[in-house]
Amino acid sequence: MSALAVRGLTSRRGDREVLSAIDLAFEAGEVTAVVGPNGAGKTTLLRHLAGLDAPAAGEVELGGKPLSGLGAAIRGQRIAYLAQAASAYWPLRARDVVALGRLPHGADLSRPARLSDADAVQRALQRVDGVRFADRSIDTLSQGERARMMMARALATEAAVLLADEPVASLDPAYALETMAILRAEAARGACVIVVLHDLGLAARFADRVIVLANHGVAADGPPAIALAGDVIEAAYGVGFRHILVDGVMQPVAWERRD
Amino acid sequence: MNRWLVVMVAVLYLLSLAVGPAWWPWRLGNEVGWAIVWELRVPRATLGLLIGGVLGLSGAVLQAWLRNPLAEPGVIGVSACAGFAAVCAFYSGLAAAFVLAQPLAGIAGAGIAVALLMGAVRSGTGTVSLLLMGVAINAIAAALISLVLALSPNPFAYQEISLWLAGSIVDRDLRYLFITAPFMILGAAIVLGAGRWLDALSLGEDTARSLGVDTKSLGLRLTLGVGLMVGAATSVAGVIGFVGLIAPHLVRARVDFRPGATLVPSMLVGAALVLMADIAVRLLPTAYELQLGVFTSLVGAPFLVRAVRRARAAWLAA
């Protein structure tokens, strides 16, 4: 049984259909990259998977049961969601931001942390190599350090499903590679990791499976070498690609505009 | 910190009982002395305590909820709307016929203002839209109050109401205390348990929802709570501005900016501020006693200017 699945999912914004009757299933222990041109519905798909939007038709299933039937707290425990350009509105201490990931488990920042929550927060900080920033205020951190803390916040929930919306956008290469390594480590621990990416090179290299969204539907779905093949992504993006082999990994490079 | 704040509030409360034209009235040792204590000072000090507490708490709740350090019942028009509704209840004769009409009207007015603001902030987040909505609500409420007064058959209505709206807790007897205190306490009880959810909202609405926050029912709960507190407080004391702005600012850095942890200390600081201001207006050598709301505005408005300057960087992002 799949960890997470969508059946006949249709999503509308106004009278425009963003996703039309798509079927997908996601497995535990895998990193699935969702790619596609702007406006293809990547973020929309992720929001449906997180239960943030209600589908116009179809259903999202978590472990075979409808997501809409789960209580908000249970959903929060099972699915961690890292929003695009996630940030905090107040200059909170980094450790407190990470501790917010324990909220679905009943944590309360205004009370002394329970041992299980403090341990989970510490583990999450270690996984992102962020222990040394933990006691600094979040607004004094660099963008990369802050993104790392937001990732730690999502990891602290220790959910079976981790959804990340463009976690490497606006990060330098070092942070981007580190973020992908963190996601791989989560999958190795058995989590079902679904990540929206714009960088096809990272998707080709780090994902077990790539889903290409285009024209309201799934244009390709499979191992990176197949889903990111020239004809598929050229049609999806309307751009000419070159493929370069680096250390045995095929790297697609957007090369020329097509009109 | 809370322990010290409780001590400070207790000392200020006792001072509020003691200070006035007759100092230490209980020392008179006769019936007059005790009458002053029970009929004048106790209602005044207790109202100051409760109203300050709920205004400070409302400010902390609104700031955490709207994720904006400039949100405050007075500045964004919640108090003015409550004031308008209370004036309506008063001049329509409802208040005379039914003792709870005035606080209930105030609560309804405050609740409507909070709901309007929430709608504005949802459609276009940012300090600018929040403050402009506040300006609009304040202007509409002020205009409507003038209209109601112009329609009133009582020639002294305008003066009466202007004085009342300026905010004061002088000469409110125990009856006022008994009919408004339950609403204020209920409102405080409703919002005090929401600290965890307010913490989650500091990551934005989507992330908060992914952490299990039911933002819709939270919104209803906070609207009801703030409506009860600000509505009841305004219906008895008029508009006492800026307390809700200043109190959370004073405590925020001391609790590492955790929104939930600002609630209780903001309530205590709000109570201390109003008790202090109410003692100060008694001691100032003015011809007649200055209105409490005028005093908090005099002290609080410069504070708003400072907060706006600090928030300017955030404005650009909004």
Side-chain angles (χ1 to χ4, degrees), chain B residues 125-219:
Chain B
T125 332
T127 304
V128 177
S129 61
L130 174 72
L131 291 185
L132 289 180
M133 193 72 186
V135 169
I137 293 179
N138 268 323
I140 293 168
L144 287 174
I145 288 172
S146 297
L147 182 67
V148 170
L149 296 183
L151 295 172
S152 157
N154 177 353
F156 300 108
Y158 199 84
Q159 201 181 359
E160 255 175 56
I161 285 300
S162 304
L163 272 179
W164 173 76
L165 273 181
S168 173
I169 48 175
V170 184
D171 297 336
R172 309 293 197 266
D173 58 25
L174 279 173
R175 197 177 57 106
Y176 279 102
L177 183 62
F178 289 139
I179 60 176
T180 54
F183 293 117
M184 291 193 261
I185 292 167
L186 179 65
I190 287 174
V191 298
L192 275 175
R196 289 174 67 214
W197 310 132
L198 291 173
D199 286 337
L201 274 179
S202 54
L203 297 177
E205 202 155 313
D206 283 342
T207 303
R209 286 177 58 207
S210 80
L211 288 170
V213 180
D214 180 347
T215 46
K216 260 190 205 140
S217 71
L218 178 69

Side-chain angles (χ1 to χ4, degrees), chain B residues 39-162:
Chain B
E39 282 162 35
L40 295 175
R41 300 286 168 80
V42 166
R44 183 169 183 170
T46 311
L47 278 175
L49 177 82
L50 288 173
I51 290 169
V54 299
L55 289 177
L57 180 57
S58 297
V61 167
L62 288 172
Q63 291 180 14
W65 184 19
L66 303 172
R67 280 154 274 152
N68 194 316
L70 299 181
E72 196 262 345
V75 174
I76 60 179
V78 179
S79 300
C81 221
F84 164 65
V87 168
C88 284
F90 191 69
Y91 280 102
S92 64
L94 264 180
F98 172 47
V99 73
L100 288 178
Q102 204 165 328
L104 287 178
I107 289 160
I112 289 168
V114 175
L116 281 174
L117 285 161
M118 239 0 248
V121 170
R122 253 167 210 281
S123 54
T125 332
T127 304
V128 177
S129 61
L130 174 72
L131 291 185
L132 289 180
M133 193 72 186
V135 169
I137 293 179
N138 268 323
I140 293 168
L144 287 174
I145 288 172
S146 297
L147 182 67
V148 170
L149 296 183
L151 295 172
S152 157
N154 177 353
F156 300 108
Y158 199 84
Q159 201 181 359
E160 255 175 56
I161 285 300
S162 304

Side-chain angles (χ1 to χ4, degrees), chain A residues 91-108:
Chain A
L92 294 166
R93 248 178 1 140
R95 188 183 295 278
D96 288 333
V97 170
V98 177
L100 285 174
R102 299 303 294 172
L103 224 61
H105 298 278
D108 184 344

Side-chain angles (χ1 to χ4, degrees), chain A residues 6 13 25 31 33 42 56 65 71 77 83 86 89 97 117 123 133 144 151 169-170 207 213 249 258:
Chain A
V6 298
R13 192 170 300 142
V31 173
K42 305 183 293 293
K65 297 203 185 74
Q77 287 172 18
Y89 284 83
V97 170
D117 292 329
R123 276 196 296 275
F133 312 123
M151 173 66 84
S170 75
L213 289 184
V249 180
R258 295 229 174 121

